[in-house]
Amino acid sequence: MPTNQKDAATAVERVRGAFSRGLTKPYEWRRDQLVALRSLLLDNQELLERALVRDLGKHPTESQATEIGIVLTELDHTLRHLKRWLRPRRVSVPLVLAPASARTVYEPLGTVLIIGPWNYPVQLILAPLIGALAAGNAVVLKPSELAPATSEVLAALVPTYLDDRAVAVVEGDASTARDLLAQSFDHIFFTGSTAVGKIVAKAASENLTPVTLELGGKSPAYIDNSVDLEAAARRLIWGKLLNAGQTCVAPDYVLTTPRTADALIPHLRAAIAEFYGDDPSLSGDFGRIVSTRHAGRLRDLLDGHDPVIGGRVDATERYVEPTVIDDVDPSSAIMTEEIFGPILPIVHVADAAEAIRFIADRDKPLSLYVFSDHADVRRRFVRDTSSGALAFGLPAAHLSVPDLPFGGVGASGMGAYHGELSFTTFSHAKAVLLKKLAPDTMGVVYPPFTSGKSAIVRRLIARTSRLVGGDDD
């Protein structure tokens, strides 16, 4: 439901006041909020599953694996390691300052805004919330209005389980997001499209607010004939058709040789039938597109193409059939924008070298997947491509590893999170130096520079002076 600017400002003012009073800083408060968030998920699994069915047609098993389960794993990891992450990190000091001590202390940024997307409306708003709470921040959450059932459930549950003095949920449409972006925050975390990410970054720049942008783009998959094509096809289809293809790290298209494409397509067809039956529209395991508008966009992308698998679209039912298109023109519309649906184009290349050039000539992807048993091919993809993540043999699964950074590069995003990175993303690393006021320990760092110093001290003074651009005497 829309929220006016006054409502947004009131929510921000309330949680900022809690942070200013120091409510969120103690370890005990942070731990208690994380434990409460864990209870929220465990106590309300069926409620969340039903909301995800209404919004996206997700099967409860898929919701457990890709939404609730991932957040629970992240929570358990954070609770297990938070005390260690909070400890000051000692660093060495130069001899010229000895005796002294130095350390890095992680402190909360303050009041942060987390804007969630519609495609994984539980995981992709609560996973960053874990980092924000662990770091001791006050938080405003803005769920996506395009997943209204999930937004409504979160708006009811979050203030029931978490401390509503410091954590607020603000529901509403794009105008509500604009109202929130007009407020002053200490950090903004946004997950969504590149186009909206630019709007968020521009609004944040007005207040010099740092941002984390988790965006998308076209994530390629390269496959050659050195691998078991049947197994590779099953994994490609699994990663592509999760959430009916509405996954930012789904394989967007395949690069391979014409000969390998011919051999791969029957295995792709068999994998679709294995997972979703002969008619996926009748399968409870296959989800739906988030809206009729989005389904219509996918229908338009298929115009002019002759699919080798699938191709049926019923926009009124938000249904797009799992679809494969072979030998796609790289300049076609389906290859110039992120698909975000169950359509898999195949682009022909001569070899791995051409595939690498194809990827390098385009925006850096959020993820890149390589299916090859040739070690030299894998090494070349590591060395010669840039992407948010690079996975060999399995798409999308890197999100489930808490200690791997999840984030983009270039047009696919800035910043990363998961595991300890979630904690540091929402923290300020403050430098702390201690030098006691002993009268005989500062001679090496201020004049006079020549009164009876030893040779080693004179050399230290000379070296330090050169480093800062001063004279040697």
Side-chain angles (χ1 to χ4, degrees):
M1 56 183 172
T3 302
N4 62 42
Q5 190 169 14
K6 183 178 178 181
D7 294 333
T10 299
V12 175
E13 183 180 356
R14 183 178 83 245
V15 302
R16 182 182 290 121
F19 180 80
S20 298
R21 297 192 301 274
L23 175 69
T24 66
K25 293 183 178 181
Y27 165 76
E28 292 76 16
W29 185 89
R30 307 180 195 200
R31 180 202 60 212
D32 290 347
Q33 297 309 298
L34 295 174
V35 171
L37 182 56
R38 193 174 190 278
S39 297
L40 182 157
L41 290 166
L42 292 174
D43 294 348
N44 299 281
Q45 294 180 73
E46 291 185 6
L47 186 61
L48 291 165
E49 289 169 1
R50 288 197 298 270
L52 291 165
V53 168
R54 291 199 297 275
D55 287 332
L56 292 156
K58 284 191 184 183
H59 190 279
T61 301
E62 183 176 341
S63 294
Q64 285 291 337
T66 65
E67 301 255 23
I68 298 167
I70 285 181
V71 179
L72 285 171
T73 298
E74 190 78 15
L75 271 168
D76 291 343
H77 183 81
T78 301
L79 284 165
R80 189 160 55 247
H81 295 286
L82 182 56
K83 271 192 176 179
R84 177 173 62 83
W85 297 344
L86 284 169
R87 292 184 193 127
R89 324 271 172 102
R90 293 184 67 88
V91 300
S92 60
V93 296
L95 184 58
V96 71
L97 291 178
S101 65
R103 66 191 188 277
T104 301
V105 174
Y106 284 94
E107 63 181 15
L109 293 172
T111 303
V112 304
L113 171 64
I114 299 174
I115 302 176
W118 53 261
N119 60 325
Y120 288 88
V122 174
Q123 180 209 147
L124 293 181
I125 197 166
L126 296 187
L129 175 62
I130 293 168
L133 293 174
N137 296 282
V139 187
V140 176
L141 299 173
K142 165 62 176 71
S144 173
E145 72 279 9
L146 295 179
T150 308
S151 177
E152 182 180 355
V153 169
L154 291 175
L157 293 179
V158 168
T160 302
Y161 282 81
L162 303 184
D163 190 337
D164 65 356
R165 295 171 295 177
V167 183
V169 178
V170 177
E171 290 189 280
D173 56 17
S175 64
T176 301
R178 286 193 295 270
D179 292 341
L180 284 168
L181 290 170
Q183 309 300 313
S184 177
F185 287 94
D186 298 291
H187 194 89
I188 296 173
F189 191 106
F190 169 79
T191 304
S193 69
T194 300
V196 179
K198 292 178 180 179
I199 296 171
V200 172
K202 183 177 181 180
S205 70
E206 294 296 320
N207 292 309
L208 295 179
T209 302
V211 295
T212 300
L213 300 178
E214 298 297 339
L215 309 177
K218 298 182 75 64
S219 294
Y222 170 75
I223 184 169
D224 64 28
N225 62 4
S226 68
V227 298
D228 180 334
L229 292 179
E230 180 182 1
R234 295 178 82 255
R235 293 185 182 185
L236 273 171
I237 290 301
W238 174 81
K240 177 64 178 180
L241 298 185
L242 275 175
N243 199 28
Q246 299 165 113
T247 303
C248 58
V249 295
D252 191 272
Y253 62 95
V254 172
L255 295 166
T256 193
T257 65
R259 184 174 180 179
T260 302
D262 288 343
L264 177 66
I265 288 168
H267 293 301
L268 295 174
R269 183 180 292 109
I272 293 169
E274 176 189 352
F275 294 157
Y276 304 109
D278 293 333
D279 185 354
S281 69
L282 303 177
S283 171
D285 293 325
F286 188 68
R288 293 298 182 264
I289 305 304
V290 70
S291 70
T292 56
R293 178 174 65 84
H294 286 75
R297 181 187 69 84
L298 293 170
R299 179 193 57 217
D300 294 342
L301 284 179
L302 287 173
D303 282 350
H305 295 283
D306 186 16
V308 294
I309 300 172
R312 184 161 59 97
V313 177
D314 186 341
T316 60
E317 294 296 324
R318 301 185 293 144
Y319 174 71
V320 177
E321 187 177 17
T323 299
V324 177
I325 311 169
D326 189 28
D327 194 15
V328 172
D329 182 349
S331 65
S332 62
I334 206 165
M335 287 301 298
T336 56
E337 62 178 88
E338 185 177 9
I339 295 170
F340 226 62
I343 302 169
L344 185 65
I346 299 175
V347 177
H348 292 176
V349 293
D351 51 25
E354 185 179 347
I356 289 171
R357 289 194 298 271
F358 188 95
I359 295 164
D361 287 343
R362 287 157 175 79
D363 287 339
K364 296 177 180 180
L366 182 58
S367 299
L368 168 58
Y369 306 112
V370 175
F371 295 80
S372 176
D373 284 341
H374 296 305
D376 62 322
V377 169
R378 296 196 296 267
R379 283 194 295 269
R380 290 178 66 185
F381 273 92
V382 172
R383 182 190 66 198
D384 297 335
T385 64
S386 178
S387 55
L390 171 60
F392 297 102
L394 183 63
H398 57 282
L399 272 73
S400 64
V401 183
D403 282 327
L404 279 178
F406 175 54
V409 57
S412 58
M414 63 178 70
Y417 71 120
H418 282 190
E420 188 173 4
L421 266 174
S422 291
F423 170 78
T424 56
T425 289
F426 289 102
S427 299
H428 167 60
K430 180 165 64 178
V432 178
L433 176 72
L434 173 61
K435 176 72 179 177
K436 292 185 178 179
L437 290 172
D440 60 345
T441 61
M442 288 294 289
V444 297
V445 292
Y446 60 72
F449 290 111
T450 57
S451 57
K453 303 284 193 305
S454 68
I456 188 171
V457 170
R458 287 198 298 274
R459 286 197 298 272
L460 279 170
I461 294 168
R463 182 184 178 194
T464 304
S465 183
R466 285 195 299 273
L467 287 172
V468 298
D471 297 323
D472 289 342
D473 57 10

